[in-house]
Each structure stands twice: as structure tokens, then as C-alpha cells.
Amino acid sequence: MPKITLSFAADHAGFEMKQALIVYSKSLDCKIIDHGTHSTDAVDYPDYVPPVVGDILEGRATFGVLICGSGIGMDIAANRHAGIRSALCHNDKLAEMARCHNDANILCLGGRFITTETGKNCLKRFIATAFEAGGRHERRVEQLG
């Protein structure tokens, strides 16, 4: 199996979780691309989404991980791009369903609403779960465009 490459970005509210998930991802033998932010200084979350989206669409990364305070803003921003299926997940079961039923390619997390441990569990399940290709799930994903 080819090595998984994860493209990360976070705003100031997601910075600490991003840093912890990068360390965790390396322990899972994932390759990492880090698009910032690199501190807890206030930034505008929409600025951090395009580099991750570009990594996914241009094949530099297998999956993206976006983290802001609630996860909602980055999820909305990511899903504005054709070919991106971003999913805001609050637990590992949602992360599994996002992959197996929706073929999500970006995991969004809310740094102010879940623990880092929950974030790790979501990420582990997200990257370990395959899309259930064929049948109703594939047909529905195709309808998304």
C-alpha cells in the first residue's frame, strides 16, 4: 500500500490540535504537508483552505485535515471546491461513515469542541476506512459532481 500523505492546515483555534495530529500522523507512518498556521496568533481561516484543497485536487496528498474553532468554517470553505468532499466529524464513527459512504477526502475538526484524543481517533479511522465503491454510495457521490 502506498504511503498516505496528509495535508494539514489550521487557524489559530486549531493550531494546538494540528500540531498534535501531525506528530500522531508521523507515528502512523504518514507523510505530512503542513500549510500552517504556525502559532496561536489570530488569522482568517479561509486563507488556509486553498493550499490543502490544491494538494488533494493535484494529487500531492491522499487526504486533507482542516482544523478551526468549530470546524464549520473550514468545512464550508473546502466544500465550495469541485471534487472536494469535506466532512466535519465529532467522533470516529462519523469519520468512518464520511469515508465509507461519502468518499470524503478532507477531514474537518473543531479544535474548541473535541479533545485532541478524539481528533486522533477521528483521523485514524478516517485514513483507515475505504470507500464502499459501487452501488448506492458510489451513485450518490457521483451526483455530488
Side-chain angles (χ1 to χ4, degrees), residues 71-84:
I72 296 169
M74 285 193 159
D75 189 47
I76 291 169
N79 277 313
R80 300 183 96 183
H81 299 270
I84 294 297

Side-chain angles (χ1 to χ4, degrees), residues 101 135-145:
H101 286 187
R136 68 184 192 274
H137 300 304
E138 188 166 348
R139 182 179 70 247
R140 292 169 183 161
V141 169
E142 287 174 0
Q143 291 174 14
L144 296 174

Side-chain angles (χ1 to χ4, degrees), residues 34-64:
D34 183 0
H35 290 291
T37 193
H38 300 290
S39 75
T40 57
D41 294 341
V43 297
D44 296 330
Y45 68 83
D47 294 338
Y48 291 84
V49 174
V52 173
V53 166
D55 284 345
I56 299 299
L57 296 178
E58 295 170 22
R60 291 184 295 271
T62 315
F63 300 114

Side-chain angles (χ1 to χ4, degrees), residues 86-109:
S86 177
L88 174 59
C89 298
H90 301 290
N91 60 55
D92 61 336
K93 185 62 177 173
L94 286 172
E96 176 184 351
M97 298 307 290
R99 285 288 308 127
C100 72
H101 286 187
N102 306 111
D103 198 19
N105 49 20
I106 294 181
L107 172 66
C108 282
L109 301 170

